[in-house]
Amino acid sequence: MKALVYEGPRSVTVKDMPDARIERPTDVLVKITSTNICGSDLHMYEGRTDFEQGRVFGHENMGEVVAVGEGVDRVRVGDPVCLPFNISCGFCRNCEQGLTAFCLTTPVDPTMAGAAYGFASMGPYSGGQAELLRVPYGDHNCLVLPEEAREKQNDYVMLSDVFPTGWHCTELAKVRPGDTVVVYGAGPVGLMAALSATLKSAAKVMVVDHHPDRLALAEEIGAIPVNESEGSPVDQINEHTNGRGADRGCECVGYQAHDPQGREHPNLTLNNLVHSVKFTGSIGVVGVFVPEDPGSPDKLYQDGEVAFDYGLFWTKGQSVGNGQANVKAYNRQLCDLIQQGKAKPSWIVSHELPLDQAPEGYRHFDARDDGWTKVVLHPDGS
């Protein structure tokens, strides 16, 4: 099969790799038709993680079932399916509580919880930026899609990660109808958090970034764009909230946050949220933070530590929730929102490319080139 292989920092190549195959009776084999480049792929692409050379990227995957193991009961050959980026078993202690991002069965390392396709430190599982993908525990992990998904792949493929992750951020932040919400980061996840807050009937949604093309997408769904290049985002949020601060805050950037001048600060958005959210407000954090980052320009964060404004956070009586999204807790309901026309997450898609143009897509997306807001790859050539 053709697959996108990591060869080192900012170097990926499409190569012939051994075909993915059924390995266990509970496996499902999927022909990938759509797979996205994710912002968290860029951490690995840039060499900021321990992702091994020779492995395949890709955790935002959708396709058609082409084979099932003899232990699979529900999923059928020919089904269109979307796959949570979390690989979970469905029966461990955490999965039974809906915490599928922290599955205790699928990690190889017994000190870890959670696994994912083509992701650093989350198991040996191959990614889906390839023609074929093996799906463990297929009955549990495959979300069987409505037939219209074959023609609306750019909407339904977002159920693999960014739409549920954006929704998860609003859940962590405790967004309720009538709230004012500030989202830091207008990348794909931040835009999905803004969409999710809007779907939850937030009274006002503000999105902070310094990329005009991304802020323009936020404005398309009724969010207020806050360009941090034009002045302190905290001051701008206060202006929009009569000095009170937002009721809820969403962190959708992570440890490689940059200021408008291009300098990296791993604590930038965390502390801006403490200042931007009201007394007793709540914050959700889904931007990726890692236990250690030897390549960080910040000495503290080389050991995974940040200079956090905890005194102000404590004084304001704020709360914070964080961690990866338990995709299966949300993807079926979000699928229904798409099918009923209530949500159209494909509005963020800027480019669709065949798999052999994936290296070009990575270069542009990594550089945050103007207009490159979300890239969908089609390994089947569609």
Side-chain angles (χ1 to χ4, degrees):
M1 67 179 186
K2 300 288 185 184
L4 186 77
V5 177
Y6 176 67
E7 296 194 321
R10 291 188 166 88
S11 178
V12 290
T13 305
V14 177
K15 291 184 173 180
D16 287 318
M17 296 289 284
D19 283 349
R21 58 184 178 83
I22 299 291
E23 297 179 17
R24 301 181 63 185
T26 50
D27 287 349
V28 164
L29 188 66
V30 174
K31 179 182 73 173
I32 298 298
T33 56
S34 293
T35 177
N36 305 334
I37 301 177
C38 180
S40 56
D41 287 328
L42 299 182
H43 304 307
M44 299 178 288
Y45 175 72
E46 294 171 5
R48 294 290 289 271
T49 68
D50 59 356
F51 196 75
E52 303 91 343
Q53 294 183 19
R55 288 189 61 194
V56 178
F57 281 152
H59 59 272
E60 297 190 9
N61 305 310
M62 172 182 168
E64 180 179 310
V65 175
V66 292
V68 298
E70 60 185 14
V72 174
D73 292 326
R74 180 179 63 87
V75 178
R76 298 285 184 264
V77 171
D79 282 346
V81 294
C82 190
L83 311 167
F85 77 88
N86 325 112
I87 305 174
S88 55
C89 67
F91 54 77
C92 73
R93 186 184 187 93
N94 284 348
C95 285
E96 286 180 344
Q97 297 179 45
L99 304 174
T100 52
F102 303 92
C103 178
L104 300 173
T105 303
T106 50
V108 174
D109 182 350
T111 67
M112 293 293 291
Y117 303 100
F119 208 92
S121 302
M122 296 199 72
Y125 304 96
S126 188
Q129 290 173 9
E131 292 177 317
L132 295 169
L133 180 68
R134 171 191 169 234
V135 180
Y137 302 106
D139 271 335
H140 170 69
N141 284 304
C142 290
L143 176 67
V144 178
L145 302 171
E147 277 301 310
E148 73 165 22
R150 300 183 193 275
E151 305 301 323
K152 297 181 178 180
Q153 293 193 39
N154 287 352
D155 285 313
Y156 285 93
V157 70
M158 300 303 165
L159 294 168
S160 59
D161 182 355
V162 288
F163 194 8
T165 294
W167 190 274
H168 182 59
C169 196
T170 64
E171 288 286 294
L172 294 172
K174 304 176 184 177
V175 173
R176 298 293 181 266
D179 282 343
T180 56
V181 181
V182 57
V183 178
Y184 273 83
V189 170
L191 292 170
M192 291 299 164
L195 174 63
S196 298
T198 300
L199 290 167
K200 290 184 173 186
S201 298
K204 181 181 290 187
V205 179
M206 300 155 283
V207 179
V208 179
D209 208 298
H210 54 263
H211 294 281
D213 57 334
R214 297 183 174 193
L215 289 171
L217 287 173
E219 197 168 16
E220 286 182 14
I221 58 166
I224 298 170
V226 176
N227 192 330
E228 59 186 344
S229 298
E230 298 174 356
S232 163
V234 176
D235 290 344
Q236 294 184 66
I237 297 305
N238 281 330
E239 289 177 10
H240 285 295
T241 58
N242 297 318
R244 187 183 69 171
D247 297 311
R248 316 293 173 197
C250 294
E251 201 290 333
C252 301
V253 181
Y255 72 102
Q256 286 188 259
H258 286 73
D259 62 28
Q261 292 73 41
R263 296 183 296 262
E264 185 176 316
H265 308 273
N267 60 347
L268 179 64
T269 52
L270 291 173
N271 288 335
N272 277 343
L273 277 162
V274 172
H275 287 263
S276 300
V277 171
K278 72 173 186 178
F279 281 77
T280 72
S282 47
I283 298 167
V285 181
V286 295
V288 173
F289 288 84
V290 294
E292 59 181 21
D293 178 21
S296 176
D298 184 285
K299 289 186 178 180
L300 272 178
Y301 201 68
Q302 290 173 9
D303 294 322
E305 301 173 358
V306 295
F308 180 55
D309 290 346
Y310 188 78
L312 181 61
F313 173 77
W314 185 91
T315 299
K316 294 180 79 170
Q318 295 171 339
S319 60
V320 63
N322 65 155
Q324 290 189 343
N326 306 296
V327 171
K328 280 187 63 64
Y330 315 117
N331 64 353
R332 192 175 299 278
Q333 295 93 326
L334 298 182
C335 178
D336 290 344
L337 287 177
I338 295 172
Q339 188 177 12
Q340 296 303 318
K342 302 290 187 180
K344 191 174 178 59
S346 62
W347 109 93
I348 67 170
V349 175
S350 59
H351 293 79
E352 297 180 74
L353 303 174
L355 186 64
D356 61 7
Q357 292 182 26
E360 175 188 349
Y362 266 90
R363 284 194 298 272
H364 286 290
F365 192 49
D366 181 56
R368 276 69 170 178
D369 285 339
D370 186 61
W372 287 77
T373 52
K374 186 64 172 177
V375 181
V376 181
L377 306 174
H378 297 292
D380 66 339
S382 62

